[in-house]
Amino acid sequence: MSASESKVEDLTEDAARGELERLHEVLSKADIAYHQNDAPEITDAAYDAAKKRYLEIEAAFPQLGQPDSLSTKVGAAPAEGFAKVQHGVPMLSLGNAFEDEEVSDFVARAKKFFMPDSLRDPEFMLDFVAEPKIDGLSASLRYEDGVFVRGATRGDGVVGEDITANLKTIDDIPKQLEGSGWPAVIEVRGEVYMSHAEFQRLKDHSARFGGQDFVNPRNTAAGSLRQKNSEITASRKLNFFAYAWGVAEDADGNPMPPAETQWEMVEKFKSWGFKTNPLMIRAESAKGLLDQYRKIESQRASLGYDIDGVVYKLNRLDLQQRWGFVARAPRWAIAHKFPAELAWTRLEAIDIQVGRTGALSPVARLMPVTVGGVVVSNATLHNEDYIAGRDSRGDTIRDGKDIRIGDWVQVYRAGDVIPKVADVDLSKRPDTAVPYAFPTLCPECRSEAVREEGDSVRRCTGGLICPAQAVEKLRHFVSRAAVDIDGLGAKQVEFFYAMCWMAEPADIFTLTDRDSSGERLVRDPEAVLQYLTDDEDGAATTLDELYEMLETAGVVPEGRAPAQIAEAIRKLGQLPLAKLKGWGGTSAGRLFSAIDERRTIAFRRLLFALGIRHVGEVVSADLAKHYGEWVRLTAAMDAAYPAMERHLAAEAAIAAERREAADAGRRAQITRVRDATWVAEPAVPQESRAAWDDLIGIDGIGAIVGVALVAAFAQSAERSSIDRLVSHLSVTPEAAPVAQDSAVAGKTVVFTGSLERMTRSEAKSMAEQLGAKVAGSVSSQTDILVAGPGAGSKLKKAEELGVDVISEDDWFTLVGR
DNA sequence: CAGCCTCGAGTTCC
DNA sequence: CTCGAGGCTG
């Protein structure tokens, strides 16, 4: 380094900033040069010295820490700002098999499904392909006229992230397809992975230079692909195997699969310049597939890259199409996974977390142990019964062995991701170990925690009194799929909640005004602290956390007594956000404008954000489509209330009748009791019943979801919280369906029986696109019933009500397709 | 009323 | 990713 280098403590802030920038550049360049050609431009000693100096300056001037500081660059940087890409054809996941028997079942299902073909044609033969399942990251590569134009991650399967620049650095990915015969547009899909050799090279390098902590090849490959600077990606060697495809179209946009079988397709990929896996084989029986599984398993360690199983696919593409899909997975393919890696460790503690719905979830705190290449120190214990050694039906699991603190337990990563406790070693159980007593009081707010009949989870009854539930609700509200406010993440929300600046979603939208007026506290710190200190145990940690937060905020209480902390919180309430440590004027301003951006919000997002039990993204969207405008939803919920109560009363009466009947040894007269409850109660107005029936008539919404919804909007506290929130917002009505001039626009349609030309969800989205409403059950509101073969009760009801009944073919004629 | 499928909720590590 | 619960079909 230069001779003019001064001691770190003598540097001015400006000088430090300048030097940091210079060193950052030197080090980054050296990193890239090293990775790209294995020929460092500076000596190792010089590199080490530069790195040391960099870290020293950074430590002395933490305020200068850059987001891409070399000291914080570890593994996969949480990348934001990759553009979203919608896949032409969704990228699906695969069903799993672990046992040989499940593989035989898979083959047997195929044989059964295609039985008619083999009866008709004695030559008919089913064959499958088997290939290793690479443990990497799926990517989809779009080629137009043979030129690589865009590459994306899998994402949620429908929308991924544009990582074209990074994928272009991978040698195995042709920028221009070779050979000929490729469709005008094709999405080639496969797995990006890192070889063991490359992973080792990176690890050795980082060990020498005190750099990043690379955990395993998969994570490293993921981190490399998510680099914003693709030079870094280029400096790490990644590989790609092609094995699947999405869109394949000719120049006129017509579907054009360039082959007839999976096997030929992969051969084509090879001829176009892709790498394909050499261990792929064809087989005609379960035995053939399993033989290949064993062969691949035996070679696993020597392949030079990670695999986590073997994938089997039906070979013929036309048959794949005929066999179809279940949910998001093809029926015609299955992943046979290698047994999960297991590890033994000690269970040091069981903590209880409280979720947004009040669910108490036990989490195992473990002595850290490596499982499948990752150090695991927490694992889920599911619920009360799981700890006790029972499953949801009350049958024993783990031979009925319960789990106790201090036990030696076996952990594995389910799906190679989520750590779970699988087993207990009774021989190592300490004599002092006692059965775990699951709390019956909420550990956060001391409210009673109850288990409803038939429910596997115990829930805190504190509602919004419970700080854990309040915070979790707020976290859910600001989460990505919900309101998604830039600069207001889970951490900030927790902070604002603890500081009494926010207690419910509405408070987010009054923050700006309160910040300028100086009246920031929405709760009384004394009251908050009162219950924190009310109890001997549990409170200490929470107070500690609060103390720590105040320190971070730059307001240090004069002592640690609750009164002093409350005083500090109050003082904090007089500071504008921009004055808090970690918040400058810019970031505060940015937050306020991000909040403003969300004052206009789509109906479905708002509804989802409320976090009503059983109301997730899909149900919210369905409700938004049904009601269109927010006021129509609230009006319907209000109207439905009496009928909802009546429904509950009827359910209760039926349950009572069941019990009585069981005691008396006779058959329960359910219909009579149900009818009696409705008839005997003229107090329920007809319009209330109509609103209720309309609600639970929506496809996918039944009585339980209905009760949760109506109750949320009726309960005075919850409803006023919702109304307070909505008063700050402008709710965008759900967009009216695109085509208004179709024959079915505005009609309510129900599909029943088995549909042959389309799946149920296709039928639903098609009808919706044409402006129709899709309901799940037939009522007087129904205009058309589309009945396939095997239609039963709905058909009968439609006939009784005089609803138009048409066939699937009629439907296509009606909509002109 | 049983069995299938979809959706919601909770979880870990980076 | 997995489990359980809720909804729907047959």
Side-chain angles (χ1 to χ4, degrees):
Chain A
M1 302 268 58
S2 68
S4 65
E5 195 172 273
S6 34
K7 280 187 179 168
V8 169
E9 52 270 32
D10 296 339
L11 288 172
T12 62
E13 188 167 322
D14 274 347
R17 181 179 295 116
E19 197 168 346
L20 266 187
E21 278 168 13
R22 187 178 59 81
L23 287 169
H24 189 274
E25 203 187 316
V26 168
L27 290 167
S28 305
K29 266 197 184 150
D31 271 339
I32 291 163
Y34 179 90
H35 291 305
Q36 270 172 348
N37 45 24
D38 278 340
E41 288 181 357
I42 59 175
T43 64
D44 288 356
Y47 182 98
D48 284 349
K51 180 106 191 183
K52 188 161 166 260
R53 175 87 178 159
Y54 179 93
L55 294 175
E56 276 172 11
I57 299 179
E58 196 186 53
F61 296 89
Q63 67 275 28
L64 297 180
Q66 297 151 324
D68 62 339
S69 155
L70 294 174
S71 65
T72 54
K73 250 198 269 168
V74 173
E80 281 164 35
F82 286 110
K84 299 263 180 278
V85 180
Q86 174 142 19
H87 300 300
V89 171
M91 292 178 79
L92 303 153
S93 50
L94 291 183
N96 289 331
F98 290 95
E99 308 294 332
D100 289 0
E101 203 190 332
E102 294 171 85
V103 177
S104 321
D105 286 349
F106 167 70
V107 173
R109 278 200 303 277
K111 288 210 167 121
K112 191 173 163 210
F113 188 86
F114 294 106
M115 180 77 84
D117 298 74
S118 36
L119 288 177
R120 207 177 312 126
D121 173 11
E123 303 282 293
F124 181 86
M125 188 142 43
L126 272 183
D127 64 339
F128 301 86
V129 298
E131 67 191 315
K133 185 174 191 303
I134 314 299
D135 191 14
L137 298 108
S138 323
S140 183
L141 319 169
R142 188 180 172 93
Y143 290 84
E144 292 178 5
D145 296 319
V147 179
F148 177 45
V149 293
R150 197 169 58 228
T153 61
R154 180 176 178 282
D156 63 3
V158 176
V159 175
E161 285 177 322
D162 188 334
I163 50 164
T164 313
N166 291 338
L167 290 171
K168 277 188 176 162
T169 69
I170 299 177
D171 291 342
D172 292 350
I173 295 179
K175 314 306 169 263
Q176 160 76 51
L177 297 183
E178 296 164 14
S180 60
W182 13 268
V185 176
I186 182 159
E187 290 171 356
V188 175
R189 291 173 178 174
E191 204 79 357
V192 176
Y193 66 97
M194 180 176 280
S195 70
H196 292 159
E198 174 67 2
F199 177 67
Q200 200 53 51
R201 186 183 72 79
L202 280 176
K203 251 178 94 138
D204 290 347
H205 177 251
S206 96
R208 245 170 68 216
F209 299 113
Q212 316 170 350
D213 184 15
F214 295 111
V215 176
N216 59 41
R218 202 200 111 91
N219 283 0
T220 311
S224 308
L225 273 186
R226 293 178 64 77
Q227 292 292 331
K228 289 232 201 89
N229 176 0
S230 56
E231 283 181 49
I232 298 178
T233 314
S235 72
R236 303 174 183 177
K237 189 168 179 301
L238 295 172
N239 294 91
F240 182 82
F241 278 131
Y243 56 75
W245 64 99
V247 168
E249 288 172 351
D250 65 16
D252 301 321
N254 299 314
M256 176 200 155
E260 288 181 359
T261 63
Q262 183 73 34
W263 183 270
E264 285 169 29
M265 201 69 194
V266 172
E267 293 288 311
K268 293 267 180 188
F269 289 154
K270 219 189 288 178
S271 75
W272 298 341
F274 288 99
K275 295 277 191 314
T276 60
N277 196 285
L279 288 170
M280 188 166 100
I281 55 115
R282 260 182 301 189
E284 284 160 21
S285 65
K287 183 177 178 298
L289 297 177
L290 291 170
D291 284 346
Q292 184 66 2
Y293 176 86
R294 312 247 183 274
K295 186 175 161 203
I296 292 173
E297 192 178 28
S298 69
Q299 295 180 21
R300 188 178 182 183
S302 57
L303 289 176
Y305 48 85
D306 282 344
I307 61 173
D308 56 356
V310 177
V311 176
Y312 310 128
K313 290 175 187 161
L314 192 60
N315 195 21
R316 271 173 57 177
L317 305 188
D318 58 329
L319 301 187
Q320 288 184 358
Q321 197 174 6
R322 273 174 53 201
W323 203 3
F325 300 85
V326 223
R328 290 161 79 145
R331 264 191 240 279
W332 44 264
I334 192 168
H336 189 179
K337 296 285 200 72
F338 294 133
E341 194 184 315
L342 301 164
W344 287 93
T345 186
R346 205 178 62 231
L347 174 62
E348 297 187 322
I350 296 177
D351 282 359
I352 302 287
Q353 295 182 356
V354 182
R356 145 172 85 86
T357 61
L360 267 49
S361 332
V363 176
R365 305 294 176 202
L366 306 165
M367 204 168 76
V369 62
T370 304
V371 195
V374 171
V375 178
V376 164
S377 45
N378 303 311
T380 175
L381 286 167
H382 287 125
N383 56 46
E384 199 169 347
D385 285 347
Y386 190 82
I387 297 176
R390 285 187 304 269
D391 70 5
S392 61
R393 287 178 312 239
D395 296 338
T396 61
I397 48 174
R398 299 187 300 270
D399 301 325
K401 286 180 274 184
D402 68 329
I403 297 171
R404 304 182 183 187
I405 295 167
D407 271 341
W408 279 84
V409 293
Q410 189 184 48
V411 292
Y412 72 104
R413 299 205 304 149
D416 280 336
V417 181
I418 313 280
K420 291 192 173 185
V421 173
D423 205 358
V424 179
D425 187 345
L426 291 185
S427 70
K428 287 195 182 169
R429 172 169 285 175
D431 297 337
T432 51
V434 291
Y436 179 71
F438 202 91
T440 53
L441 290 183
C442 171
E444 299 283 340
C445 72
R446 309 266 135 200
S447 301
E448 215 172 329
V450 299
R451 244 180 107 167
E452 267 163 50
E453 207 179 300
D455 204 347
S456 60
V457 299
R458 193 172 278 281
R459 289 175 204 278
C460 160
T461 54
L464 291 179
I465 309 273
C466 177
Q469 284 190 60
V471 168
E472 291 302 316
K473 279 219 164 192
L474 280 167
R475 282 171 57 138
H476 171 76
F477 187 87
V478 300
S479 68
R480 197 115 83 73
V483 177
D484 189 22
I485 299 171
D486 255 9
L488 189 64
K491 267 200 144 137
Q492 287 76 12
V493 159
E494 273 165 46
F495 177 74
F496 286 135
Y497 181 84
M499 298 307 175
C500 302
W501 282 25
M502 277 179 195
E504 58 168 24
D507 299 332
I508 294 170
F509 296 96
T510 59
L511 185 67
T512 315
D513 285 350
R514 284 182 289 126
D515 195 62
S516 47
S517 75
E519 288 295 318
R520 291 181 191 82
L521 303 189
V522 296
R523 287 183 306 157
D524 181 8
E526 296 280 3
V528 176
L529 288 160
Q530 176 133 31
Y531 92 89
L532 280 184
T533 47
D534 236 7
D535 208 89
E536 323 76 55
D537 52 24
T541 52
T542 323
L543 273 183
D544 275 347
E545 280 167 18
L546 203 53
Y547 189 87
E548 227 172 82
M549 279 191 182
L550 286 168
E551 281 186 326
T552 341
V555 178
V556 186
E558 313 224 319
R560 310 199 54 157
Q564 290 158 323
I565 294 181
E567 186 46 40
I569 293 177
R570 219 171 261 117
K571 238 193 263 165
L572 191 76
Q574 283 154 27
L575 291 173
L577 180 58
K579 284 271 186 312
L580 294 196
K581 199 165 172 185
W583 289 89
T586 356
S587 44
R590 218 177 278 154
L591 172 65
F592 296 144
S593 58
I595 291 173
D596 278 340
E597 270 175 42
R598 291 291 182 269
R599 285 180 200 272
T600 302
I601 184 172
F603 186 163
R604 61 169 76 183
R605 271 182 184 263
L606 171 61
L607 184 55
F608 171 62
L610 295 179
I612 297 165
R613 182 129 93 102
H614 302 134
V615 183
E617 266 183 284
V618 175
V619 169
S620 299
D622 287 348
L623 287 161
K625 276 182 224 153
H626 186 83
Y627 291 107
E629 284 176 53
W630 185 259
V631 287
R632 293 202 48 219
L633 170 77
T634 50
M637 297 301 109
D638 290 338
Y641 188 73
M644 183 275 277
E645 284 212 300
R646 189 49 39 214
H647 165 84
L648 289 180
E651 289 295 303
I654 291 167
E657 162 69 8
R658 277 226 172 84
R659 251 173 285 132
E660 262 172 52
D663 287 347
R666 62 180 167 82
R667 274 190 63 148
Q669 298 183 304
I670 289 162
T671 318
R672 190 186 59 75
V673 173
R674 180 188 290 128
D675 289 350
T677 335
W678 281 102
V679 174
E681 203 44 77
V684 177
Q686 181 53 40
E687 71 227 39
S688 179
R689 222 183 136 169
W692 172 253
D693 286 346
D694 181 54
L695 173 63
I696 60 172
I698 300 172
D699 201 4
I701 296 184
I704 291 179
V705 179
V707 169
L709 267 164
V710 177
F713 280 87
Q715 253 178 35
S716 54
E718 194 163 355
R719 174 60 177 273
S720 45
S721 167
I722 294 172
D723 287 345
R724 265 198 300 282
L725 168 66
V726 175
S727 72
H728 301 292
L729 304 175
S730 144
V731 186
T732 323
E734 186 67 15
V738 196
Q740 289 290 357
D741 53 351
S742 78
V744 294
K747 301 269 175 78
T748 299
V749 187
V750 175
F751 294 93
T752 188
S754 42
L755 300 172
E756 290 165 328
R757 293 173 58 181
M758 52 189 170
T759 67
R760 211 156 211 91
S761 62
E762 275 168 7
K764 190 175 172 187
S765 66
M766 181 178 173
E768 280 166 354
Q769 269 171 24
L770 293 163
K773 268 185 195 171
V774 178
S777 59
V778 176
S779 72
S780 55
Q781 307 291 307
T782 312
D783 298 302
I784 304 168
L785 179 77
V786 182
S793 61
K794 287 187 191 173
L795 179 57
K796 207 173 138 217
K797 189 162 183 197
E799 281 162 353
E800 280 166 20
L801 292 167
V803 171
D804 272 347
V805 178
I806 63 173
S807 70
E808 195 179 351
D809 287 337
D810 295 339
W811 164 260
F812 278 95
T813 316
L814 183 65
V815 301
R817 297 230 178 147

